[in-house]
Amino acid sequence: MALPGEVVHTFHGARQAGIAEPPQAWSTLIAFDLTEGADRERVRRLMRVWTDDIDRLMSGRGTLTDQEPELARRSAGLTVTVGWGPRLFVVADLQEVRPTWAVDLPEFSHDELDQAYGGGDLVLQISAHSPITVAHAQRQLTTSATGMASTRWVQPGFREPMEYHGWSMRNLFGQVDGTVQPRFEGADADLVWIGSDGPAGWRHGSSMVVRRIAMRLDAWDRVGRTGRENAIGRHLDDGSPITGGPVDSPVDLAATLDNGLPVVDGAAHVRRAAATTREEQFLRRPYTYQDIDGSDVRTGLVFVTYQADPVRQFVPVQRRLADGDLMNLWTTPVGSALFAVLPGCSPGRYLGQDLLI
């Protein structure tokens, strides 16, 4: 098995990298707004530039304008994933190829949104096993966009992919996060990837939801272990359900105590987040953030999800969480954005080419 610093992911393919691969230790999401006067040709030019840059960086080469190409040699499992925000389709006169779900997410009842962490015409998700690799790719791709798009927000995150099946992680509440995931192929592929029956030109694409969730660690510190596990619905030591079984066991939401009361609280996170239909499933790829400004430390979760249709899959679950999740006592969503993730491309072509003709 290759060491993390030696991993190289392939850029070209039907699907973009950075979704199906197990999450790397470091990730930065950058949202951009198109510059004034932007049109379809400007988007086309930016996609050509970014396609070439990303291909080079993921393969361990510097970009054409890279002044520090040595920093690109250690690709460290780098992936870069590109998405388009709802406004881009209007600005670039691309409404005929806009998926019906590519609209701003609604504001949910528990949200306290800060526009400094929301929206955007384009997004880059840059992930790798090295913070240097991420920082270098971020600089190169931001520089490449000069004159075509400007940075709207940046959200860096980190995680240790050392828990169950390489996809879950511990957030700073000590909670094992991301234990329930759909499969990427076979019967569940349509939950993550847009299929042939989806919007024209988007087959093998997806959608990305980004939610910045502030965590009140000082209040969490005052809660005993039993109270914490009751709020989550899982044991803190290994993430297994409080109804029994290993971590990958389904939670028995019908289980009762001897007195007839449910084992899992009616407002426990696992109950509110549980899918009530097959469609209410999506891929979770979260990262922890910690912003430090002098003595001010802000901590939370950059909650990133991928799904074929966020309106059918993500929104119903988020409404239940907003209206009655016990974890709302210690968490508040402060940022929200949605992007249509482009399909991949073959050599000699650029991302979004079939949509920009």
Side-chain angles (χ1 to χ4, degrees):
M1 178 181 293
L3 296 173
E6 300 170 349
V7 174
V8 177
H9 291 299
T10 301
F11 169 70
H12 290 112
R15 299 165 177 168
Q16 286 196 70
I19 300 176
E21 295 76 13
Q24 302 93 319
W26 305 88
S27 187
T28 294
L29 288 123
I30 316 168
F32 297 83
D33 284 336
L34 292 166
T35 52
E36 187 175 354
D39 57 11
R40 186 180 301 201
E41 178 55 35
R42 188 170 300 176
V43 176
R44 187 182 291 118
R45 183 155 38 103
L46 180 56
M47 291 300 101
R48 286 196 183 107
V49 171
W50 271 353
T51 295
D52 186 67
D53 285 353
I54 295 168
D55 181 22
R56 289 172 175 273
L57 291 166
M58 284 180 56
S59 63
R61 297 173 292 154
T63 66
L64 288 175
T65 60
D66 201 337
Q67 297 294 311
E68 297 85 24
E70 294 78 12
L71 293 178
R73 290 178 185 168
R74 187 172 185 266
S75 58
L78 175 69
T79 59
V80 182
T81 312
V82 183
W84 290 353
R87 197 181 78 100
L88 179 142
F89 295 94
V90 178
V91 171
D93 191 24
L94 289 166
Q95 296 194 67
E96 72 276 10
V97 298
R98 180 181 66 86
T100 57
W101 45 256
V103 295
D104 291 331
L105 287 170
E107 185 166 346
F108 301 98
S109 60
H110 188 56
D111 287 357
E112 295 181 13
L113 300 182
D114 181 344
Q115 289 307 306
Y117 302 109
D121 295 339
L122 305 111
V123 71
L124 296 176
Q125 176 190 261
I126 306 172
S127 307
H129 295 293
S130 163
I132 293 294
T133 300
V134 171
H136 177 250
Q138 175 183 341
R139 180 183 177 195
Q140 296 305 310
L141 294 167
T142 300
T143 300
S144 296
T146 301
M148 295 180 280
S150 58
T151 301
R152 181 183 179 97
W153 50 255
V154 179
Q155 297 197 79
F158 56 91
R159 59 180 289 154
E160 290 190 78
M162 54 190 293
E163 298 289 345
Y164 167 65
H165 64 44
W167 276 89
S168 58
M169 69 165 200
R170 286 194 188 273
N171 60 38
L172 291 183
F173 282 164
Q175 174 188 3
V176 179
D177 204 335
T179 51
V180 178
Q181 302 282 17
R183 296 182 296 275
F184 309 120
E185 305 297 342
D188 287 345
D190 63 318
L191 295 172
V192 177
W193 309 107
I194 298 171
S196 57
D197 58 344
W202 288 93
R203 186 180 183 189
H204 301 307
S206 188
S207 72
M208 178 197 301
V209 170
V210 182
R211 300 275 287 172
R212 179 182 170 97
I213 303 174
M215 298 165 61
R216 290 184 288 278
L217 291 177
D218 54 342
W220 183 252
D221 287 343
R222 297 192 291 270
V223 182
R225 195 171 187 88
T226 300
R228 296 180 181 196
E229 293 184 342
N230 181 64
I232 297 168
R234 291 182 176 273
H235 294 296
L236 287 170
D237 59 348
D238 62 359
S240 62
I242 61 173
T243 54
V247 64
D248 55 352
S249 299
V251 181
D252 183 2
L253 297 177
T256 58
L257 299 167
D258 291 341
N259 60 9
L261 294 176
V263 175
V264 179
D265 191 286
H269 182 73
V270 295
R271 186 181 293 277
R272 304 299 294 184
T276 61
T277 68
R278 179 183 177 274
E279 290 183 334
E280 292 180 1
Q281 301 180 69
F282 41 82
L283 176 65
R284 295 162 169 84
R285 212 173 189 273
Y287 282 82
T288 291
Y289 74 81
Q290 189 169 69
D291 296 339
I292 302 174
D293 183 5
S295 61
D296 182 24
V297 180
R298 290 173 294 175
T299 300
L301 201 66
V302 183
F303 188 64
V304 184
T305 71
Y306 288 94
Q307 53 280 300
D309 185 330
V311 172
R312 291 188 294 109
Q313 295 173 249
F314 177 85
V315 170
V317 177
Q318 186 56 52
R319 288 196 190 280
R320 287 199 300 276
L321 293 173
D323 293 342
D325 184 5
L326 273 174
M327 295 302 292
N328 291 346
L329 294 171
W330 306 282
T331 63
T332 303
V334 295
S336 186
L338 181 146
F339 301 94
V341 177
L342 296 163
C345 64
S346 57
R349 297 177 63 80
Y350 61 86
L351 292 171
Q353 184 167 344
D354 291 340
L355 302 167
L356 288 162
I357 57 176

